[in-house]
């Protein structure tokens, strides 16, 4: 969400940008195997329908630009991009002890591309499910046991 604010240079309201960030984070949690797709759909419904954050995706922001803008996010630690991801309603993944998780940038980019494409088409479909890697400290990295995100 904060990366979207940076990319748009303040042209989107903070709440709308954070709402988008939360929807993207739900898809990232799903891609990594932490939550099921019905929880992603519930997340969308709460943010879009219940809270009314339904601004159209800004066409001038692509996934690569958003990745670049996220490097200035306030949750960034060193070079790693870290996220708050759900593992259940009201409960976040906590592998690093601070409610944040480092995720492979290639995985994040893939999720962003799918989300933006779906938002622009106004008809999202369920993303393919991938298994998260537990090797090292970054989720979503490819390994012999887990396919790439």
């Amino acid at each position: 969400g904060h990366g979207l604010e940076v990319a748009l240079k303040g042209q989107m309201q903070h709440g709308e940008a954070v709402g988008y960030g939360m929807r993207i984070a739900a898809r990232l949690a799903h891609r990594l195997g932490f939550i099921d797709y019905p929880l992603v759909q519930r997340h969308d419904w709460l943010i879009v329908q219940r809270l009314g954050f339904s601004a159209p995706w800004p066409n001038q922001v692509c996934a690569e630009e958003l990745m670049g803008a996220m490097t200035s996010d306030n949750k960034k630690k060193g070079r790693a991009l870290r996220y708050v991801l759900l593992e259940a309603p009201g409960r976040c993944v906590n592998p690093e002890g601070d409610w944040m998780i480092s995720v492979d940038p290639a995985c994040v980019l893939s999720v962003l591309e799918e989300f933006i494409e779906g938002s622009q088409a106004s008809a999202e479909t369920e993303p393919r499910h991938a298994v998260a890697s537990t090797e090292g400290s970054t989720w979503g990295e490819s390994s012999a046991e887990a396919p790439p995100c």
Side-chain angles (χ1 to χ4, degrees):
H2 297 115
L4 188 53
E5 283 182 288
V6 170
L8 288 170
K9 298 174 179 68
Q11 295 176 351
M12 179 177 274
Q13 291 184 10
H14 176 76
E16 290 173 329
V18 170
Y20 267 120
M22 292 171 64
R23 293 178 63 205
I24 293 166
R27 283 159 176 76
L28 188 55
H30 172 68
R31 175 69 66 86
L32 294 171
F34 295 125
I35 62 174
D36 60 11
Y37 196 69
L39 185 53
V40 174
Q41 292 173 315
R42 182 177 176 198
H43 209 71
D44 280 347
W45 181 85
L46 288 169
I47 292 167
V48 174
Q49 300 297 321
R50 190 79 167 139
L51 296 177
F53 290 124
S54 58
W57 181 263
N59 290 329
Q60 68 269 37
V61 178
C62 67
E64 292 81 9
E65 182 180 2
L66 188 53
M67 286 291 293
M70 285 191 295
T71 61
S72 66
D73 193 300
N74 60 357
K75 292 180 293 299
K76 190 170 177 288
K77 180 179 176 183
R79 293 178 45 118
L81 292 175
R82 295 162 22 100
Y83 303 88
V84 176
L85 299 179
L86 292 176
E87 65 179 2
R91 194 171 69 231
C92 296
V93 178
N94 190 23
E96 299 174 28
D98 62 355
W99 306 105
M100 307 288 291
I101 184 169
S102 300
V103 181
D104 178 45
C107 182
V108 176
L109 182 61
S110 174
V111 169
L112 285 173
E113 289 169 342
E114 286 180 11
F115 181 81
I116 292 169
E117 182 179 309
S119 293
Q120 290 172 337
S122 297
E124 294 184 30
T125 58
E126 183 172 342
R128 62 184 169 79
H129 182 74
V131 177
S133 169
T134 56
E135 290 185 20
S137 62
T138 302
W139 288 80
E141 291 178 322
S142 59
S143 70
E145 295 78 35
C149 184

